[in-house]
Amino acid sequence: MSDIQLSENELWIASFYRSSEMSGAMFFGRVARTIRGPLQKDVTHHFADESAHASYWTNCIDSLDQRAIPMRDAYQDRYMDAVGVPASLMEVMAITLVFEKRTIGHYNQHLREANTPAPVRATIEKIMLDERWHVRYVREALQDMEQRYGKQEIEDTLARYTAADVEIYGKAMAEFEERFAAQ
């Protein structure tokens, strides 16, 4: 039995993270199933990482003698609602870069919270190692795609997804703040 207890809201956040990692795994599983060429290996690795991250969150929650709260949607679902399904591999990589950078920023913010329980902190730190690699390989993939799509089109796509991300993240943070204000 764990000495640490997550509040209902902390359990909700850890469950939300878990759900988002599962959603990422399913998305990258679909991409990995269809992709050919040099990115096949990296996208398949990314799929495996996202799946492992969901497992890390499940194990974290379990180590605290709790069970994840089932979630109806994930953070990624909000992206698809706002910008639609990516129409090309370049768009997949662009939305992934924006999303992964946001994830790193959010997880870093969570780590700065003084009351973050040790198991949650350890889970985030473990996941962050993979997240940094995700940003690196995706950034390199987008650079390699400049010849096909053009640098400007990639920059425009990144700008469009970044603008959507700002709106989506703002709404998510308002939801998080509302949840914690009620605590």
Side-chain angles (χ1 to χ4, degrees):
M1 180 165 228
S2 174
D3 294 339
I4 302 169
Q5 278 293 338
L6 293 179
S7 70
E8 180 182 331
N9 288 331
E10 290 168 330
L11 176 60
W12 183 88
I13 295 248
S15 298
F16 187 82
Y17 291 164
R18 175 182 174 268
S19 178
S20 291
E21 297 289 358
M22 287 189 304
S23 182
M26 290 185 284
F27 175 78
F28 277 98
R30 287 188 299 274
V31 174
R33 186 181 301 149
T34 62
I35 193 172
R36 299 290 177 261
L39 275 176
Q40 187 179 53
K41 179 181 172 190
D42 288 339
V43 170
T44 302
H45 182 160
H46 197 151
F47 155 69
D49 285 349
E50 298 293 326
S51 182
H53 298 170
S55 180
Y56 299 161
W57 280 116
T58 303
N59 292 340
C60 173
I61 294 166
D62 188 64
S63 77
L64 297 167
D65 298 323
Q66 293 181 287
R67 298 297 167 261
I69 299 168
M71 297 281 157
R72 286 183 303 224
D73 68 348
Y75 191 73
Q76 292 90 326
D77 297 327
R78 298 170 187 198
Y79 272 78
M80 298 307 157
D81 290 344
V83 296
V85 177
S88 68
L89 184 56
M90 182 275 287
E91 288 186 358
V92 168
M93 292 293 109
I95 200 168
T96 298
L97 182 61
V98 170
F99 181 79
E100 294 291 344
K101 287 169 62 177
R102 172 62 73 192
T103 299
I104 288 171
H106 181 80
Y107 276 162
N108 275 325
Q109 181 180 337
H110 196 140
L111 289 172
R112 285 191 292 275
E113 298 290 328
N115 60 347
T116 300
V120 170
R121 181 175 299 280
T123 301
I124 291 172
E125 289 170 347
K126 187 175 184 179
I127 290 170
M128 290 284 275
L129 298 173
D130 295 331
E131 299 297 352
R132 290 183 187 101
W133 175 77
H134 297 166
V135 167
R136 196 168 45 254
Y137 100 81
V138 169
R139 187 175 281 137
E140 290 169 3
L142 285 168
Q143 288 171 346
D144 291 345
M145 292 178 184
E146 285 179 6
Q147 195 169 22
R148 177 175 180 190
Y149 292 95
K151 185 173 183 157
Q152 190 60 53
E153 183 171 343
I154 292 172
E155 287 176 2
D156 291 348
T157 302
L158 286 167
R160 189 173 80 245
Y161 288 151
T162 298
D165 175 73
V166 168
E167 182 179 330
I168 294 162
Y169 190 70
K171 288 178 182 176
M173 286 297 88
E175 183 181 344
F176 286 11
E177 288 170 16
E178 182 179 307
R179 177 170 280 281
F180 277 90
Q183 192 172 2

